[in-house]
Every structure is written in structure tokens, then in C-alpha cells.
Amino acid sequence: MLWLSRVTYQPHTDDNMKVTALLIICSWLLLGSLGKPQFPEQEKDPKFWNTWAQRTLKNALTLQNLNKNKAKNLIFFLGDGMGVPTVTAARILKGQLNGQSGEETLLEMDKFPFVSLAKTYNTNAQVPDSAGTATAFLCGVKANEGTVGVSAAAVRSQCNTTEGNEVTSILRWAKDAGKAVGIVTTTRVNHATPSAAYAHSVDREWYSDSEMPAEALQAGCKDIARQLFENIPNIDVVLGGGRKYMFPKNKSDVEYPNVLKHSGTRKDGRNLVQEWTDRMKDKKGHYVWNKKQLLSLNPNNVDYLLGLFEPGDLTYDLERNTDNDPSLTEMVEVAIKILRKNPSGFYLLVEGGRIDHGHHEGKAKQALHEAVEMDRAIGRAGLLTSIHDTLTIVTADHSHVFNFGGYTVRGNTIFGLAPRVSDIDQKPFTSILYGNGPGYKIVNGARENVSTIDYQENNYQAQAAVPLSMETHGGEDVAVFAKGPLAHLLHGVHEQNYIPHVMAYAACIGQNREHCLAHSGTAGLRPVFSSIAAILTATRLLC
């Protein structure tokens, strides 16, 4: 094997070679003692791989019949911080959670027929943040880091650069076209990604007026929570966290009445939730703050829904109170069932936002479980919609300095150790490592020995090369998965701001609507396939 050859021929001291050789021998003995092969027996037969490849080839050939329907519905899944290494590791984790070795598993997004890459840089940053990127993939223009819903002419934290530099999002374009629109996130609903859908702010951290400088308030700039309810007042569905930013300062939280940090933050004394409830009382509007309330709703009797399930971000899925807090999949299902009632279709933004937080904290296990949960939500959305009239896109805003390696054997737990110790300090290391972050630790002047701690614990912080209190984003391109009408327009390598233009073109909203009407006044895009053709095509794509 490759790693064995490298071990053999690298220069070591005699002691190092003995330690390494002993570890290798023990590893092979252990594997042999398990009484089962490292990989399925059928994989030894070339016919297995050839048959699989031929089946994949035949499926690929069917894609020449491109789906050129008009997209009635648009669903955009954003895995915050879900770079390609995270996608791969989440795929392995998903398989291992199902009792498989993991590598051969398919994520729901893996099944999408078209995959491309997006360049994520901000106008003023080589390695981007989630605000500037959100402005790109929602508003169609690249922007400065730290700003949402404004062009690159706006300067972060300078209120007087806001006016005249506002840019609108695809959520707004869809709403103006008569579609239902929704936002579902595992972060605060006024966090960077969702806020770019409705807000225009030169600072992503102006969550409520208490986070804003006095001069910005005096100059007329609005906090992001306020803009959620005022800029596009009739967003049909909003589900996520961020309760405390909607209530007057020091007002006790309904779920954590004795926890001061969860109390309201607004200095203006406004109760935005109550204002929304009053406005929607005759419009089949409902406000919920826990899972039981959410799942007890009959979507047929709900036209508008506001759900705020935590004072701040939702808890990690691994730590979620399953009796009280809904999963991302549950929120997505309720949202789609409400939005799809609109005869003109819908636009839905879904963010798996805490993938990013897990990585920042160096907690790979939290991040990867968040990614697997988002993939479940993608699968559920697919069951609730049709590939023939629904364009679904899955991507990330940016990556992280997260990776896994170490010549691990097939089926090695994704959170496990590499099969050999370091040839420098003779200590083991986990396959998952970070380029920087809080996992950097020195014990007695040397790297910590991970075999002395529980490195598979939920909140274990993987070792990092450079000490930082928070791990950083990565700057490489991110994958873009697409299926549905005109999904083939996402191909090759594109600027990130290209994405909403494709979605708008497919749905005949926003710019470029000339192609939607033929001279006779009928739709220029092909009508939806017959039900028989739809079933056959779906079968080819899913099998």
C-alpha cells in the first residue's frame, strides 16, 4: 500500500522504525482478527466495478434530454461552511451511521445530475465571509465582507454608505412575481445568510438596535431584525432562531425565563413578534416557538408562519432537545407544505448554518452531523416536490481549513485515528485535522497525545496547526449541485453571484424574462412533461 511504502523508505532512526513497524503489524493483526475483509468481497471482482460504471454511463447519456421546463418552484440549500472536504466527510459519516463503511455512500446532493464550482471571494477579500457571499448568491452581485444586501460601494460599518447602494434579492424578485417565499435556518433568522434575502445593512452584526452605534441609529440605519418585518412585510414562512432580538430589552424569554443572556435586547422597546402577530391575525398567520406548536399546525390552514425556536442560534443537532426543538428536516417539510399551496409556486431559502459554527469551534463531529441533517432535509424536499417543475440547488458560501487524511484504511471511522503514529514525535493523530483553530494544544512542551483523551466525544476539538480562538474560513471553490429545470446552466466554474441569475432565468422572474413568452403569448419554455415521461425520467435519475 502507498502509506506502507512511504513508511518503509522515509529516513527514520532505528527506534522510530521499530515503533512504526510494530504499529503497522499490530494494525494488520487487529484487522485480521476482526474476521471480516476491509471492503466488501464483491469489490474484488472487476465485473462489479465495470457493471457499476456502465450503469452510471447509461444514466449519464439520458441527460442529453435536458430539462428545459419553466421552474415553478425554487429551493436553495446553503450549507454554511460546507466545503468539499466537509461534503466528503459527511458522506462517509452518513454511511457509517447506517452501518456501512461509508465511502461508497451517496448523499442526497450526490444524486443531483449537475455539479459545478463557484468562486467564493468577496470584492475585498480573498478568503470570504458569510455576509459578502450571501449577497452574491442571493442578490446576484459580489460585495464586501461583512455587508449584506448592499453593493461593493458600501463600506462596512459606515451607515452613510448604505443609501443608494441597496441591492435586492431573488427572494424579493420571487415575491414581486407573486410566488410564496420562505426562509428556514438553523441560525438566527437575522444572521448573515438569511439577512441578505431581505435586509440592506453595512454591518452583518447589527442584529438589533442594541448592537448598533448611536451615530448609525441617528443617521437612520435600521437593525436587521427590524428590516425582517419591514422591508418585505409579507414573507410567508420564517423559521429559525433569534428570539431575543425581537423583544424589548430585558424582557424574559418564554423558554428560559431565568437566563438573563436570553432576554430581549431591543432598546427601542418594540415587540416585533407581537407587531407581526397583530398584523397577521386575520391572514391565517401563526407564531410558534417550539416543536410541538410547529408540528401541530395544519399547513392547509396556515398562510403565514413565524417560528423562532431559540433566543439565538438553534442548538447543534447532536445536542437538540428532540421533544422541544424541531430538526431542520421538520422545519423544511412544514415550510414546503405551506408554500406549495401558492398556484404560482414558491422560493425557499434553507440554511444549514451551524456546519460553519462547528468548524469555527474546531468541533468536527458537530459540523459533520449538521451536514448530514441538512442532507436529510434535501431528501425530504425532494419527496415533497417534482424535479420537473422545481429547480433545487445545493451549495456552500465558503469552505474551512478542515480536512481529513493520514492514509486511513477503508471503513475507518471518520472521527478515528490515522493508522500510524507520527514519525516525528511518535504520537498518534486523528484523521481529521484543522489548519488553525482552538484545537492547537501543547502539553509539557509537546503535542498532546490524543490517545489519552476521548477524541470521539461530541465536542472534541481536533488538533490544529496554528493556535486561534476560532478556526478560519477556507478560500477554495465550493461545489454547486443542481437538479430540475435548466439545472444544466450550472456547469464548469462560475462566479458565485451567477447562481441567482440562473434561478431567476429558470423561473421567469427578475431580469431576462424575454425568453418566457413566445410571440403567441404562450410560454417559450417547454411545458411540463407528461406524467409518464416524468416518472421515467425520475426513475433514471434516482436509480
Side-chain angles (χ1 to χ4, degrees):
M1 294 179 67
L2 178 60
W3 61 265
L4 182 57
S5 65
R6 293 189 179 184
V7 169
T8 304
Y9 293 107
Q10 286 178 349
H12 301 298
T13 64
D14 289 343
D15 288 343
N16 286 355
M17 290 180 67
K18 290 176 181 178
V19 170
T20 304
L22 181 61
L23 181 69
I24 294 169
I25 293 170
C26 290
S27 297
W28 282 110
L29 288 173
L30 178 61
L31 286 168
S33 69
L34 294 178
K36 56 183 179 182
Q38 297 174 67
F39 52 87
E41 188 69 23
Q42 61 184 353
E43 293 186 11
K44 295 180 179 179
D45 185 353
K47 184 178 179 181
F48 168 80
W49 297 107
N50 290 329
T51 301
W52 190 350
Q54 288 296 316
R55 185 170 63 247
T56 304
L57 177 61
K58 290 178 180 178
N59 286 340
L61 289 170
T62 67
L63 297 180
Q64 62 184 309
N65 298 317
L66 300 175
N67 182 347
K68 296 181 179 180
N69 299 336
K70 176 180 177 180
K72 177 182 178 182
N73 308 313
L74 302 168
I75 305 178
F76 185 78
F77 280 93
L78 192 283
D80 198 314
M82 191 182 70
V84 172
T86 300
V87 172
T88 307
R91 177 188 304 132
I92 294 172
L93 174 59
K94 176 183 177 180
Q96 293 180 347
L97 290 172
N98 291 327
Q100 303 163 339
S101 65
E103 298 84 1
E104 71 290 341
T105 301
L106 284 177
L107 292 168
E108 293 299 326
M109 64 187 89
D110 292 338
K111 302 172 187 177
F112 285 27
F114 297 96
V115 182
S116 58
L117 293 175
K119 297 188 284 183
T120 64
Y121 66 91
N122 295 149
T123 47
N124 65 340
Q126 186 179 75
V127 178
D129 90 314
S130 295
T133 51
T135 303
F137 60 68
L138 290 176
C139 302
V141 299
K142 289 227 172 190
N144 293 327
E145 61 88 25
T147 66
V148 292
V150 288
S151 70
V155 181
R156 184 170 187 175
S157 301
Q158 293 187 18
C159 174
N160 63 357
T161 66
T162 307
E163 189 173 358
N165 293 319
E166 300 92 342
V167 291
T168 57
S169 77
I170 187 170
L171 183 140
R172 182 61 181 260
W173 310 339
K175 189 67 176 177
D176 289 347
K179 294 184 182 294
V181 296
I183 297 170
V184 176
T185 179
T186 53
T187 67
R188 289 152 277 182
V189 295
N190 50 346
H191 207 252
T193 298
S195 65
Y198 57 82
H200 311 289
S201 178
V202 291
D203 198 313
R204 58 174 286 179
E205 296 180 354
W206 289 355
Y207 301 120
S208 74
D209 58 350
S210 66
E211 285 81 29
M212 296 177 65
E215 56 268 26
L217 290 169
Q218 292 167 3
C221 280
K222 298 179 181 180
D223 64 88
I224 297 172
R226 179 181 169 188
Q227 292 189 58
L228 171 62
F229 297 99
E230 295 183 358
N231 289 5
I232 309 176
N234 292 326
I235 298 177
D236 302 76
V237 175
V238 177
L239 300 175
R243 266 197 312 260
K244 65 181 181 180
Y245 304 108
M246 315 300 171
F247 293 95
K249 192 172 181 62
N250 297 325
K251 178 177 174 58
S252 295
D253 183 73
V254 64
E255 189 173 4
Y256 310 100
N258 299 317
V259 183
L260 186 60
K261 69 177 182 179
H262 293 326
S263 298
T265 66
R266 301 198 64 81
K267 290 182 178 179
D268 60 10
R270 292 178 64 177
N271 183 329
L272 298 179
V273 170
Q274 189 60 54
E275 292 179 18
W276 182 90
T277 303
D278 291 343
R279 191 170 72 245
M280 296 296 179
K281 63 182 179 180
D282 297 325
K283 298 181 179 180
K284 293 186 179 180
H286 295 261
Y287 168 67
V288 295
W289 62 267
N290 61 52
K291 175 179 175 177
K292 182 178 180 180
Q293 293 174 343
L294 176 70
L295 299 186
S296 67
L297 294 172
N298 181 346
N300 293 324
N301 298 328
V302 179
D303 289 341
Y304 297 96
L305 177 60
L306 173 64
L308 301 173
F309 304 105
E310 285 291 331
D313 301 318
L314 273 60
T315 57
Y316 286 121
D317 196 64
L318 272 178
E319 301 172 349
R320 180 170 59 89
N321 181 331
T322 56
D323 293 327
N324 208 42
D325 297 330
S327 67
L328 181 61
T329 301
E330 289 166 337
M331 290 192 291
V332 166
E333 178 165 354
V334 172
I336 291 177
K337 286 181 176 179
I338 293 172
L339 297 174
R340 70 183 181 184
K341 295 186 301 177
N342 188 315
S344 297
F346 64 85
Y347 171 87
L348 176 61
L349 166 64
V350 181
E351 182 195 21
R354 303 221 65 195
I355 301 169
D356 177 72
H357 296 172
H359 282 322
H360 277 309
E361 295 175 357
K363 300 175 180 177
K365 193 166 189 176
Q366 299 285 11
L368 295 184
H369 275 270
E370 292 294 308
V372 171
E373 171 56 26
M374 192 181 86
D375 198 62
R376 290 191 195 101
I378 294 168
R380 187 65 55 85
L383 293 174
L384 293 169
T385 56
S386 167
I387 195 172
H388 301 287
D389 66 0
T390 302
L391 173 60
T392 304
I393 293 175
V394 180
T395 188
D397 46 358
H398 54 74
S399 186
H400 277 267
V401 290
F402 157 88
N403 220 316
F404 67 99
Y407 304 115
T408 46
V409 296
R410 178 79 175 270
N412 195 75
T413 170
I414 192 63
F415 303 115
L417 296 176
R420 68 181 180 94
V421 297
S422 165
D423 59 350
I424 303 299
D425 65 10
Q426 286 75 53
K427 293 178 181 177
F429 59 96
T430 55
S431 174
I432 286 176
L433 296 169
Y434 286 94
N436 57 49
Y440 178 93
K441 186 176 291 185
I442 297 297
V443 177
N444 297 324
R447 182 173 68 91
E448 183 178 45
N449 188 335
V450 295
S451 66
T452 64
I453 58 176
D454 184 5
Y455 53 82
Q456 301 219 38
E457 192 266 328
N458 288 353
N459 290 302
Y460 168 70
Q461 293 176 309
Q463 291 184 338
V466 177
L468 288 177
S469 58
M470 295 289 281
E471 177 263 5
T472 71
H473 295 168
E476 74 268 26
D477 298 348
V478 295
V480 184
F481 305 86
K483 70 174 181 177
L486 300 183
H488 58 279
L489 296 180
L490 287 159
H491 62 281
V493 181
H494 296 289
E495 296 288 354
Q496 196 170 39
N497 68 294
Y498 173 65
I499 296 172
H501 291 274
V502 169
M503 299 187 81
Y505 185 93
C508 296
I509 61 177
Q511 304 179 57
N512 309 120
R513 284 182 285 181
E514 294 84 0
H515 65 287
C516 299
L517 295 177
H519 294 299
S520 63
T522 57
L525 291 171
R526 289 193 308 171
V528 176
F529 296 156
S530 68
S531 58
I532 295 177
I535 294 171
L536 290 174
T537 305
T539 302
R540 286 197 296 268
L541 290 171
L542 294 174
C543 294

